Amino acid sequence: MTEMSTGMPGTAERERQAKALAARLSGRLVIGGKLLRPIAEETFPVDNPGNGEIIGAAARCRAADVNRAVETAAAAFPAWAAMPARERSNLLLEAAKRLEREAEPIACLSSLETGNAIATQTRGEARTMVDIFRFFAGMASETKGKTVPWTPRRFLFTKRVPVGVVGAIIPWNAPLMQTASKIAPALAAGNTVVLKTAEQAPLAVMRIFEVLQEVLPPGVANVISGLGEEAGRALAEHPLVRKITFTGSSAVGSQLLHYAADKIVPVTAELGGKNPNIVMPDADLDLAVAGIVQGMRLFRQGQSCTAGTRIYVHQDLYAEVLRRVTAELGKGKMGNPLDETTQVGAIISREQLARVERYVAMARETPGARILTGGERPKDEALRRGYFYLPTLIEGVPAESPVCRDEIFGPVATVAPWTDFDAVIAEANDSRYGLAAVIWTRDLARSMEFIDRIEAGFVQVNQFSVAEASIEYGGTKISGIGRELSPESMIDHFTWSKTVIINYGTPGV
Ligand code: NAD
């Protein structure tokens, strides 16, 4: 079916509309319900990873802008927190409805600035964003405390209280979903927020906040952009920010914990991953091959914290799996992220592409290592100006190499054969990260053993999917602290508990 016959705009028209939206939102921030410019009127460029063209600019917020945003959120907090939970819920449901109406232009703008393909990533991500808003809107009345039996004629209960102003900081790889994961539970629980976008992908998030202003009271949801060390740090260190919720690299997550330590506020940190994907000798081969390919998360060019980038295949199946996986990896159509037929888009930036190339070069220089497929930019002339890189699978890399140890955050995975179950579990766990882990097997006992022994927060058997509303997500070790997307995570991270004792007849004190 052609785009014409579906009534959808073609690639050029989608691009024109997304660029117009980018131009309108360039250099802007949303504070107190208004689309503003930063006080010093400074900006930095935002480009289209699909062709390197500058498509707009981000406001370069400094401490004064952060202060303005946080003070506005603090002023809006008492009324928002005091609003009956069902009313907050209704407002958030209405916000979800408006976001749903705007989902397609938001997705297109996100494709334009992230390089993620509209057909395989950003359209679905926008749907997930709406779904997360709906889910947490329904949770607004669930911030319940508990009653505790203690002694006669004394009533002991706990009350959950919103924390106040939440400072949220997000990365560029899935900004629509990240925005929803941070702010929907925070708002539902009665907090107000200031979110800082990632440098590379600020504009679609600006649009989300602009839409939210149609419904939410001014000052409840505010967004700024800027550099991490400037705006991000100023937000995290601001004395009125009573909670930090962060998604990004482990290195920056560690810095945020230091900032938070100085003022003693809690931090939720969703950080990096270098996730094992293990194929057992009894695995359903079709499922495992599809799962390895899916697990490389190529529709986001491998820029996914959940990506299965350390693949371990039992020796008996190794040759067969390699043959089939390498054949599959070449199949995804690479191209303009806004083209409906594109399945694999572009890497976020020139710097990130260079990082990917550095790791592949390191592998190439490693004795015994072999690049099975990819290992270079595509030759297609039409892709030359964009930050494209072929899906890459490498074998023979020693476990202690940085190629196996570091999160590369690109379309690159290593693969190794194994024969001993204990040894492969030990190797899977021999990582500073502990985010996701997957196993392919028909053996129930083995899969239960894997679940027991693997050091990861998000564990899957015979499937490779990602978190969504209601599916709790988060890691251990340097992959982070805290959980997201579940009802409990909303209560644990966006409220605090007050213990109350009422004496209604016990003599004495
Ligand atoms: P990053 O850590 O470089 O940046 C993330 C955000 O932190 C950006 O907004 C940045 O401006 C800000 N920042 C940077 N320095 C700061 C500082 N000193 N103080 C305050 N803020 C600062 O990460 P990235 O490159 O944008 O994103 C990729 C990383 O995100 C990967 O490591 C990936 O695994 C991780 N990630 C994790 C999850 C998860 O749920 N665990 C999900 C998506 C991405």
Side-chain angles (χ1 to χ4, degrees):
M1 203 173 356
T2 65
E3 290 176 341
M4 196 70 92
S5 68
T6 61
M8 287 168 77
T11 309
E13 178 55 16
R14 258 200 300 272
E15 201 162 312
R16 193 193 64 71
Q17 290 175 6
K19 281 183 177 167
L21 193 51
R24 186 172 70 69
L25 294 168
S26 274
R28 299 305 192 105
L29 40 146
V30 178
I31 298 177
K34 297 197 188 86
L35 202 56
L36 301 177
R37 292 185 193 285
I39 293 162
E41 302 252 342
E42 292 170 284
T43 61
F44 55 88
V46 177
D47 69 357
N48 171 357
N51 60 17
E53 263 177 31
I54 303 298
I55 49 116
R60 181 170 176 177
C61 292
R62 306 260 187 174
D65 299 293
V66 172
N67 192 43
R68 183 165 59 149
V70 173
E71 286 189 346
T72 303
F77 172 66
W80 182 248
M83 184 183 281
R86 290 299 306 278
E87 263 178 56
R88 270 205 311 272
S89 169
N90 286 337
L91 287 178
L92 290 170
L93 284 172
E94 181 59 28
K97 195 195 277 180
R98 308 271 176 124
L99 286 171
E100 190 166 44
R101 220 180 279 157
E102 288 302 311
E104 182 68 11
I106 288 172
C108 288
L109 181 51
S110 191
S111 284
L112 190 69
E113 64 183 345
T114 62
N116 292 336
I118 182 83
T120 53
Q121 172 61 29
T122 54
R123 192 174 283 136
E125 191 189 330
R127 271 198 302 273
T128 304
M129 162 190 77
V130 171
D131 192 45
I132 294 171
F133 266 94
R134 289 221 164 93
F135 177 76
F136 284 109
M139 290 291 305
S141 305
E142 294 297 316
T143 54
K144 298 167 184 161
K146 52 190 179 210
T147 62
V148 182
W150 192 33
T151 59
R153 299 194 174 277
R154 275 196 272 220
F155 180 45
L156 198 163
F157 67 99
T158 63
K159 226 176 122 59
R160 302 301 308 199
V161 184
V163 293
V165 179
V166 171
I169 300 175
I170 59 165
W172 42 261
N173 65 332
L176 313 181
M177 179 174 172
Q178 295 302 339
T179 297
S181 308
K182 302 275 173 243
I183 73 169
L187 294 175
N191 305 283
T192 54
V193 296
V194 176
L195 179 139
K196 189 195 92 63
T197 58
E199 288 85 334
Q200 302 83 346
L203 299 171
V205 178
M206 283 299 145
R207 180 62 189 141
I208 295 172
F209 276 77
E210 195 184 32
V211 172
L212 294 178
Q213 306 314 308
E214 296 170 11
V215 177
L216 302 181
V220 164
N222 309 278
V223 62
I224 57 170
S225 58
L227 308 182
E229 263 293 329
E230 285 176 3
R233 181 171 186 167
L235 179 61
E237 288 184 335
H238 197 290
L240 291 177
V241 170
R242 301 308 308 154
K243 158 83 195 182
I244 299 165
T245 175
F246 172 74
T247 297
S249 60
S250 299
V252 174
S254 160
Q255 279 174 302
L256 284 164
L257 287 163
H258 282 103
Y259 306 154
D262 285 340
K263 53 179 193 174
I264 312 194
V265 299
V267 179
T268 307
E270 300 292 345
L271 310 175
K274 184 77 177 179
N275 309 300
N277 194 353
I278 301 175
V279 181
M280 299 286 288
D282 67 332
D284 175 328
L285 253 196
D286 292 346
L287 214 56
V289 167
I292 289 172
V293 176
Q294 167 115 343
M296 283 181 68
R297 315 271 290 136
L298 297 172
F299 42 87
R300 235 196 262 157
Q301 300 71 252
Q303 302 164 124
S304 160
C305 51
T306 320
T309 47
R310 289 186 293 145
I311 303 162
Y312 302 100
V313 182
H314 191 271
Q315 181 70 59
D316 293 354
L317 306 177
Y318 191 70
E320 168 81 355
V321 168
L322 246 51
R323 188 184 58 73
R324 290 177 59 179
V325 168
T326 47
E328 283 301 313
L329 288 180
K331 283 186 185 163
K333 182 174 178 281
M334 225 172 234
N336 179 347
L338 280 161
D339 186 324
E340 226 29 91
T341 63
T342 294
Q343 294 165 308
V344 181
I347 286 176
I348 186 73
S349 63
R350 194 162 287 159
E351 295 72 31
Q352 191 66 19
L353 174 60
R355 176 185 166 86
V356 168
E357 289 183 317
R358 269 199 309 278
Y359 277 100
V360 174
M362 204 185 293
R364 203 167 262 127
E365 285 157 16
T366 304
R370 212 160 66 89
I371 296 176
L372 299 169
T373 184
E376 58 184 351
R377 300 186 194 191
K379 300 228 171 350
D380 185 348
E381 192 54 26
L383 304 179
R384 199 180 45 82
R385 287 187 306 133
Y387 315 136
F388 293 92
Y389 200 81
L390 293 175
T392 300
L393 192 62
I394 310 171
E395 72 170 353
V397 184
E400 61 280 6
S401 161
V403 179
C404 284
R405 294 227 165 256
D406 299 353
E407 183 188 44
I408 301 173
F409 224 53
V412 180
T414 57
V415 60
W418 64 273
T419 48
D420 180 70
F421 184 69
D422 289 333
V424 77
I425 295 286
E427 194 165 340
N429 283 337
D430 183 18
S431 168
R432 292 176 307 147
Y433 292 101
L435 190 53
V438 178
I439 194 164
W440 305 88
T441 181
R442 294 180 170 102
D443 184 332
L444 180 63
R446 278 301 200 203
S447 56
M448 292 308 288
E449 206 177 325
F450 169 76
I451 293 164
D452 287 343
R453 291 169 62 182
I454 199 72
E455 295 164 3
F458 192 65
V459 180
Q460 300 180 73
V461 179
N462 294 331
Q463 67 139 46
F464 205 123
S465 57
V466 289
E468 55 182 60
S470 86
I471 300 180
E472 187 159 277
Y473 191 81
T476 182
K477 297 156 102 176
I478 69 163
S479 292
I481 299 174
R483 294 292 178 264
E484 281 191 336
L485 292 167
S486 63
E488 295 77 13
S489 70
M490 175 183 110
I491 293 160
D492 291 349
H493 299 315
F494 295 112
T495 67
W496 54 277
S497 176
K498 200 180 264 185
T499 300
V500 183
I501 308 172
I502 302 172
N503 182 343
Y504 59 94
T506 301
V509 286

